[in-house]
Amino acid sequence: MLKPCWKIYRSFLVLVFVLLFGYSKGQTRRDSIGSGQFSFGMRNTLSAFTDAQSLGLGSGAEVRIRLAKQINTEWFGDYISTNVQNLGYRRDAHIGWSVLFYLNKDPLLAGKLSAYVLAGHCFDYTQVYSDWPGVPVGERWSSAVQGGLGIHYNLTRRFDVSLLSQYMVHFGTNIITSIDYDEASKQNYLSITKGSGLSQEGHLLTTLSVNYMLGYLWGKK
Amino acid sequence: MGKKVVLPWKKTVLLLALVCIAIGPFFGQTDTSYIHKGLLRVAGTFAIGDMPENKITNAYLTGNLEYYPDKTVSFRGDAYFLMNSLTENSILKANDAIYFGGVYHFRTHSAFDLVFGFQPGVSYTQMLKADGQNDVATICPLASVVTGFNFFAEKWFHIQVNVRYTIGQHLSQTTEMSISELSFNFGLGFNLF
């Protein structure tokens, strides 16, 4: 028995695939150059401007499915760990997808830079820990939208190095963290409480990745 | 953090690496068939790593597996197993890591394979707490770059020398510690296909 949120998520994915399939079938010959390319890559992500007020480091993987000459999609997963002012830490697991719109007319050529704008959607699971004994772990699921700018540099026709900067806005249950002062020990500590209602939290993600085009899912054989 | 052992081998190792990198191309052969599209190679190596922020030096048993879809790029996975710290009273109890990523191979037109790679990874780390008990082990994301060379001396074998810089941080409820490390590894590899 699927939970309601997973039913929505499944329906969303089906809709996305139907739209993508429809798009790929409706292209002209020139638009379809590169359509169907399938790439795999590994990535590191720096997460900045979270409530933790310090940089987080993540590692993850991604696949790309190219829909048209100037349109690509990126499907990614990241595991990010962030120190919270030496009083605790947080862990984020991201899974999501983005659509990349290339600004060049002929992108992804060997020895060339390809710039793009991107927009997408993401799901996130967060855990926040305090080093202070007795403070419960805060956890939440959230959904996010993201947008940003990036570049690929193709070292060869199939192999590229990519740098991406995107802003991600999360909507989910509310975890409130604050730095409190303990009178007895005269020390600061991280307090974590679960708030009511929906919260909005944003952060800037900068991602460096290497990718290799493995082949074609459709189109060129 | 314990007292750091004086290690004169560090300079020796660095000098050896520089000499190898400098003279390697002169031993290159004109036959480059060892480095070919579809090459699958594996290497078993030992590594020495230095964590400058914590003044800890570590010894690792390491290995890597690499596939060349063409002559200039490859996919490579590395595994590091911490044998022990060479520094006395090190608080590092576990620091085993796996890396996976892409490597670019500079064309030397010889059997000397100069490489530069980017490999994200994760590590399994555990520290010693102030009370002498082991802290909980955690999984930490890592970023790393690797450079060095493979020297294909025979059809089935090669020598591997690598220098890797890893960035990471161990975070737990009792310990927050940088595990960023500069490591050097050397070993023998086998060309499987």
Side-chain angles (χ1 to χ4, degrees), chain A residues 195-213:
Chain A
S196 59
L198 201 65
S199 78
Q200 179 207 321
E201 185 193 4
H203 54 154
L204 182 72
L205 299 168
T206 304
T207 300
L208 181 66
S209 65
V210 287
N211 303 271
Y212 189 80
M213 198 267 281

Side-chain angles (χ1 to χ4, degrees), chain B:
Chain B
M1 260 60 70
K3 183 186 168 190
K4 191 178 180 183
V5 176
V6 177
L7 297 167
W9 53 264
K10 271 188 185 174
K11 283 183 183 172
T12 312
V13 163
L14 184 63
L15 189 64
L16 181 66
L18 290 173
V19 168
C20 287
I21 289 170
I23 68 171
F26 297 106
F27 288 92
Q29 300 168 13
T30 53
D31 181 5
T32 58
S33 62
Y34 303 141
I35 306 165
H36 59 86
K37 181 179 177 179
L39 172 65
L40 181 67
R41 50 153 293 274
V42 64
T45 61
F46 285 101
I48 298 292
D50 190 54
M51 295 179 165
E53 291 175 51
N54 303 299
K55 296 180 178 158
I56 296 175
T57 304
N58 302 307
Y60 297 92
L61 182 63
T62 68
N64 52 70
L65 182 68
E66 186 170 21
Y67 176 72
Y68 292 57
D70 63 51
K71 281 186 176 183
T72 53
V73 294
S74 64
F75 313 119
R76 175 171 153 178
D78 283 65
Y80 277 55
F81 173 73
L82 176 69
M83 292 193 292
N84 212 336
S85 292
L86 301 175
T87 307
E88 288 176 20
N89 304 320
S90 165
I91 66 164
L92 197 62
K93 292 292 124 188
N95 188 29
D96 308 326
I98 52 170
Y99 302 90
F100 188 77
V103 175
Y104 186 78
H105 301 261
F106 297 91
R107 287 192 175 184
T108 61
H109 302 289
S110 70
F112 182 77
D113 182 21
L114 186 62
V115 304
F116 182 82
F118 169 69
Q119 291 180 296
V122 288
S123 68
Y124 172 86
T125 58
Q126 187 175 35
M127 304 291 161
L128 197 65
K129 292 194 286 189
D131 62 4
Q133 300 293 310
N134 283 343
D135 193 5
V136 291
T138 63
I139 304 291
C140 311
L142 301 174
S144 81
V145 287
V146 61
T147 188
F149 66 86
N150 303 309
F151 181 66
F152 291 82
E154 292 290 339
K155 184 180 179 183
W156 298 106
F157 301 101
H158 59 271
I159 295 164
Q160 184 178 74
V161 177
N162 284 156
V163 177
R164 175 188 300 276
Y165 189 68
T166 301
I167 299 168
Q169 193 171 29
H170 168 88
L171 296 172
S172 75
Q173 287 179 296
T174 52
T175 321
E176 276 120 24
M177 180 177 136
S178 167
I179 51 170
S180 297
E181 183 171 41
L182 181 68
S183 62
F184 168 85
N185 72 338
F186 175 81
L188 181 67
F190 303 91
N191 312 345
L192 300 178
F193 296 106

